[in-house]
């Protein structure tokens, strides 16, 4: 049975959620599932704004059939050509032989790269700021390249003041029946997953997100309809402000994320000693992660959220412990910048972890090392407690100063 919902005017949500998929893009854990959104605009001409992943095809088709009530689709607007939104295009083409596909030159190039079905004669190519009149609704196409892929565009319904924002403003997490963000406890339930989604999927492209935000800032927007997660019709500025911060790589909060790697618990112990001292100094809301245990996407999300980062790792094969190397590589690729950092390296006979971490952090933009790395040999000994405390104090001083400066 259909689960479609009315959105606004003659616009309907015809998406669904997948709670079975373990890994988004076969990489990011989805403990709460994921929603794939698609929207039907019922006007003189009928437009479907984006489609869905094949995992939810059945209910998607039932939703469409219910809303169409026998009508046909005139336009399929492809704002984003990633297969989680496009795996059903060939089926839509067979069901609606006269349906035109609306996209830009890159959209059609990528459709042809992924799929073998014939789109000749169906392509309605648009350029930046082109419009498409459906009758009462007029749609305008706003290009947002690299938010998340190069072909991405947003569609603005000038009549209903609805922005179909593609991946932007999306989140991980299945919908639970409530479609609108104001119908659920977004901050308590979705915000962490929205941050994890943004930082890991789009995080690299902060500059392009800023350009897209600048373009849409001039629009009169009543509602944001993303491709994943809830639809926004209230408190839009709050979520837009989060996107603005994330894409400028600005911390949301003063605080410390401690990411450690540890084979036998000794590096973990050094990290715990530092954490204990930070707490003693009045640093609250500490976040401590074992990089071998916690998926990096969660640590990345918190690294975007907080202002200070401590990394502690053993040396391994004359280099850096693999899981820590991978995390720092990921952070560099995602362009994380502007954090205050402290390092702890361990090595039983030839410690180099601290040097490799320092080099990797040094290649990221605007990172500040708050103290010389603490280097331990197999385990933290009483004679080095002073050094550990000094490192923790350097971090605590910096965090507390930031809290004061920001009036947090
Ligand atoms: Fe939801 Fe970039 O695809």
């Amino acid at each position: 049975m259909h689960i479609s919902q009315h959105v606004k005017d003659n616009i309907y949500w015809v998406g669904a959620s997948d709670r079975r998929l373990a890994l988004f893009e076969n990489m990011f854990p989805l403990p709460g599932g994921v929603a794939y959104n698609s929207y039907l605009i019922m006007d003189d001409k009928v437009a479907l704004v984006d489609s869905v992943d094949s995992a939810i095809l059945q209910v998607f088709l039932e939703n469409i059939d219910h809303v169409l009530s026998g009508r046909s689709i005139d336009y399929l607007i492809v704002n984003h050509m990633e297969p989680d939104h496009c795996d059903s295009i060939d089926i839509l083409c067979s069901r609606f032989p006269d349906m035109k596909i609306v996209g830009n030159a890159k959209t059609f190039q990528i459709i042809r790269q992924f799929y073998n079905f014939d789109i000749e004669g169906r392509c309605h190519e648009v350029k930046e700021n082109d419009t498409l009149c459906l009758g009462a609704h007029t749609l305008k196409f706003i290009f947002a390249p690299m938010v998340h892929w190069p072909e991405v565009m947003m569609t603005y319904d000038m009549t209903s003041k609805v922005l179909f924002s593609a991946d932007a403003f999306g989140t991980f997490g299945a919908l639970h029946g409530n479609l609108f963000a104001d119908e659920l406890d977004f901050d308590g339930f979705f915000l962490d997953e929205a941050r994890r989604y943004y930082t890991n999927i789009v995080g690299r492209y902060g500059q392009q997100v800023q350009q897209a935000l600048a373009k849409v800032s001039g629009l009169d927007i009543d509602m944001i309809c993303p491709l994943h997660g809830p639809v926004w019709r209230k408190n839009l500025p709050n979520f837009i402000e989060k996107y603005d911060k994330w894409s400028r790589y600005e911390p949301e909060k003063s605080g410390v994320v401690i990411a450690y790697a540890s084979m036998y618990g000794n590096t973990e112990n050094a990290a715990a000693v530092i954490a204990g001292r930070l707490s003693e100094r009045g640093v609250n809301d500490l976040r401590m992660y074992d990089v071998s245990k916690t998926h990096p996407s969660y640590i990345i999300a918190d690294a975007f959220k907080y202002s200070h980062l401590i990394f502690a790792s053993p040396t391994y094969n004359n280099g850096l412990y693999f899981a820590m190397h991978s995390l720092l590589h990921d952070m560099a690729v995602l362009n994380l910048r502007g954090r205050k950092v402290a390092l702890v390296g361990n090595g039983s006979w030839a410690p180099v972890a601290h040097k490799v971490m320092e080099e990797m952090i040094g290649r990221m933009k605007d990172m500040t090392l708050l103290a010389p790395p603490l280097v331990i040999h197999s385990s933290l000994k009483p004679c080095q407690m002073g050094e550990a405390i000094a490192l923790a104090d350097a971090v605590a001083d910096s965090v507390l100063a930031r809290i004061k400066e920001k009036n947090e």
Side-chain angles (χ1 to χ4, degrees):
M1 273 306 286
H2 82 94
I3 56 166
S4 61
Q5 290 197 37
H6 181 240
V7 174
K8 187 183 188 208
D9 302 336
N10 295 321
I11 304 171
Y12 297 83
W13 174 80
V14 288
S17 291
D18 181 357
R19 292 178 176 77
R20 294 186 176 193
L21 184 67
L23 298 172
F24 188 78
E25 294 183 349
N26 208 16
M27 192 151 48
F28 303 101
L30 287 176
V34 64
Y36 302 107
N37 297 334
S38 169
Y39 305 90
L40 256 181
I41 306 174
M42 301 296 292
D43 204 335
D44 294 343
K45 296 285 184 188
V46 173
L48 180 67
V49 184
D50 290 297
S51 53
V52 299
D53 191 270
S54 50
I56 58 155
L57 181 64
Q58 192 58 40
V59 71
F60 169 62
L61 294 175
E62 285 176 20
N63 289 343
I64 287 178
D65 285 347
H66 173 78
V67 177
L68 286 176
S69 297
R71 291 185 68 187
S72 186
I73 295 175
D74 298 289
Y75 298 106
L76 167 64
I77 294 161
V78 179
N79 283 319
H80 183 18
M81 228 320 288
E82 192 162 3
D84 56 334
H85 309 292
C86 292
D87 251 1
S88 42
I89 294 183
D90 56 340
I91 293 183
L92 292 169
C93 286
S94 350
R95 283 198 164 205
F96 305 103
D98 298 325
M99 182 185 79
K100 298 278 187 217
I101 301 174
V102 181
N104 54 58
K106 282 199 172 69
T107 319
F108 297 121
Q109 179 198 328
I110 299 177
I111 290 179
R112 290 188 178 99
Q113 285 172 199
F114 269 97
Y115 303 115
N116 295 315
F117 56 86
D118 187 14
I119 56 169
E120 296 318 314
R122 285 185 178 274
C123 303
H124 179 105
E125 187 178 322
V126 294
K127 303 214 165 19
E128 173 102 67
N129 292 324
D130 276 0
T131 56
L132 177 68
C133 182
L134 303 177
H137 295 257
T138 299
L139 308 179
K140 185 174 184 177
F141 303 100
I142 297 154
F143 288 12
M146 301 318 299
V147 185
H148 158 225
W149 281 14
E151 85 298 352
V152 168
M153 57 186 197
M154 299 184 185
T155 297
Y156 177 60
D157 181 338
M158 298 164 76
T159 315
S160 293
K161 299 179 182 173
V162 172
L163 181 70
F164 298 97
S165 61
D167 272 346
F169 306 108
T171 77
F172 289 138
L175 292 171
H176 289 232
N178 299 120
L179 176 63
F180 297 99
D182 57 274
E183 294 175 327
L184 43 90
D185 176 9
F186 187 85
D187 283 2
F189 194 69
F190 270 106
L191 181 58
D192 285 347
E193 284 295 78
R195 185 185 299 105
R196 189 167 70 92
Y197 173 83
Y198 172 82
T199 56
N200 287 277
I201 306 297
V202 196
R204 175 174 173 77
Y205 303 110
Q207 196 184 335
Q208 290 86 343
V209 173
Q210 280 289 306
Q211 286 161 0
L213 288 175
K215 283 185 191 179
V216 302
S217 68
L219 303 176
D220 185 7
I221 300 172
D222 271 0
M223 192 177 279
I224 296 178
C225 292
L227 286 176
H228 301 285
V231 167
W232 287 82
R233 64 182 174 186
K234 287 185 184 167
N235 304 322
L236 272 59
N238 291 358
F239 199 38
I240 293 172
E241 190 195 315
K242 291 283 182 204
Y243 257 70
D244 182 45
K245 267 201 171 144
W246 295 337
S247 54
R248 284 188 288 109
Y249 304 95
E250 190 184 308
E252 287 165 67
K253 202 175 170 198
S254 300
V256 186
V257 179
I258 304 167
Y260 70 85
S262 193
M263 287 189 280
Y264 298 105
N266 294 305
T267 313
E268 177 182 9
N269 175 253
V273 165
I274 290 164
R277 176 64 179 176
L278 287 169
S279 180
E280 222 169 64
R281 288 285 315 274
V283 179
N284 298 331
D285 195 23
L286 293 162
R287 299 297 167 107
M288 191 155 163
Y289 295 107
D290 182 334
V291 298
S292 301
K293 177 92 176 180
T294 302
H295 190 274
S297 61
Y298 292 91
I299 307 175
I300 295 281
D302 266 357
F304 271 70
K305 180 178 179 183
Y306 291 99
S307 56
H308 289 67
L309 309 172
I310 298 176
F311 301 100
S313 176
T315 300
Y316 201 88
N317 283 337
N318 202 30
L320 186 58
Y321 190 81
F322 174 71
M324 180 59 79
H325 194 280
S326 171
L327 174 69
L328 291 178
H329 171 75
D330 208 5
M331 272 181 194
V333 167
L334 292 169
N335 281 328
L336 184 68
R337 62 191 65 172
R339 297 300 187 269
K340 304 273 196 288
V341 178
L343 303 172
V344 178
N346 193 354
S348 293
W349 59 92
V352 295
H354 61 290
K355 285 187 193 157
V356 181
M357 288 192 290
E358 196 169 347
E359 278 166 20
M360 293 180 85
I361 296 287
R363 288 199 291 271
M364 299 180 209
K365 242 183 163 178
D366 304 327
M367 298 297 231
T368 309
L369 215 56
L370 290 171
L374 168 65
V375 183
I376 60 174
H377 301 271
S378 304
S379 65
L380 181 66
K381 298 292 185 208
C383 64
Q384 279 197 297
M385 274 301 281
E387 284 178 70
I389 298 299
L391 183 139
D393 282 349
V395 175
D397 289 345
S398 174
V399 176
L400 297 172
R402 189 179 190 278
I403 289 171
K404 200 168 169 190
E405 182 198 324
K406 302 281 177 191
N407 206 16
E408 285 178 6

